[in-house]
Amino acid sequence: PWLKREESYMQISHFILRKVTSSESYSYSSGQGYNITYDEAVDLCAILALMEMDELVYSLIESITDSIVSRSKSLFSRGQKEDIAQRLTTIIQSKLPDPKKRSITHPGYQIVSIAKVGRLTNKADEFWDGLIQNTRNEVNNLSDRTLIFSIIASAMPSDGKRADSKKKLIKEALELINEIPATYDKIDRYENLA
């Protein structure tokens, strides 16, 4: 029953994001975000608070943050972005990693969710360095660590010192990909990094 409940929450979320039912076609490119309002973002956070499946929690966090970042200049004030960031951070702390251990046990979804939320506010270099170090220390699976590094790199700002940090992280991810024994995983991680 919990899986059906999770699917229902995602269908409701997709309706709020896309403004069409799940039976209607919808074209979306990764990272483009959706045309949502602050009130809809708050509603999506309320739905997230009910969800349990780590993969779906991350997916919805990514959709919310992509939407806010892509439309922040016109629709979201700084205070609204900070409010949504705080709501999402509270959800991440309570939901990730999955407390019922039905999925991966390392904090990968937690780390990438925090990185996505970090895009909403102007985070210091230490924030990004901490995420990178947590990944190095807590995620032993090379394929997962590479994926997490690529997501952190895509979320990091590209200004000043962070541009150099971003390049170093991508280089480290490329080196890790070469150590992955499975060809399929290697190809998948190259695509993620691209």
Side-chain angles (χ1 to χ4, degrees):
W2 76 271
L3 188 54
K4 287 283 188 194
R5 188 176 60 240
E6 296 293 297
E7 290 171 2
S8 296
Y9 291 144
M10 282 306 289
Q11 285 187 354
I12 294 166
S13 300
H14 284 150
F15 179 77
I16 293 170
L17 291 165
R18 299 174 179 170
K19 317 291 188 269
V20 297
T21 64
S22 59
S23 62
E24 297 176 75
S25 65
Y26 187 86
S27 177
Y28 180 78
S29 297
S30 180
Q32 78 181 24
Y34 299 90
N35 189 17
I36 62 171
T37 65
Y38 168 75
D39 290 335
E40 288 169 331
V42 170
D43 290 343
L44 290 166
C45 288
I47 294 169
L48 258 175
L50 301 171
M51 296 172 67
E52 296 179 6
M53 191 174 199
D54 54 9
E55 180 180 354
L56 297 179
V57 168
Y58 167 72
S59 176
L60 188 51
I61 288 171
E62 181 179 41
S63 294
I64 294 168
T65 58
D66 283 350
S67 300
I68 293 171
V69 169
S70 68
R71 291 168 170 48
S72 65
K73 289 180 177 63
S74 60
L75 290 178
F76 290 86
S77 70
R78 182 194 208 162
Q80 288 172 330
K81 287 193 288 186
E82 289 173 359
D83 176 62
I84 296 299
Q86 182 56 50
R87 289 172 192 263
L88 292 174
T89 300
T90 300
I91 291 165
I92 292 166
Q93 291 169 345
S94 68
K95 302 283 182 183
L96 302 172
D98 180 3
K100 296 183 181 177
K101 307 218 182 290
R102 290 178 287 219
S103 187
I104 61 170
T105 55
H106 65 65
Y109 281 118
Q110 181 184 49
I111 293 167
V112 293
S113 294
I114 291 168
K116 293 293 184 175
V117 172
R119 298 182 314 154
L120 300 181
T121 57
N122 190 15
K123 294 293 186 183
D125 294 336
E126 294 77 24
F127 169 83
W128 300 103
D129 293 343
L131 292 178
I132 294 165
Q133 196 57 48
N134 285 349
T135 304
R136 287 183 186 129
N137 294 340
E138 299 183 37
V139 181
N140 295 324
N141 180 296
L142 287 179
S143 183
D144 288 351
R145 189 180 326 153
T146 303
L147 176 61
I148 294 165
F149 280 166
S150 69
I151 293 170
I152 292 171
S154 72
M156 288 175 76
S158 297
D159 58 338
K161 176 190 170 223
R162 288 180 247 195
D164 290 337
S165 298
K166 191 173 190 170
K167 287 178 187 174
K168 288 177 186 173
L169 183 59
I170 291 169
K171 182 179 179 199
E172 183 175 345
L174 284 169
E175 291 169 0
L176 288 174
I177 290 172
N178 291 326
E179 296 178 30
I180 297 172
T183 304
Y184 176 80
D185 281 345
K186 278 185 180 184
I187 293 168
D188 194 41
R189 293 308 172 237
Y190 278 126
E191 287 177 354
N192 293 128
L193 199 55

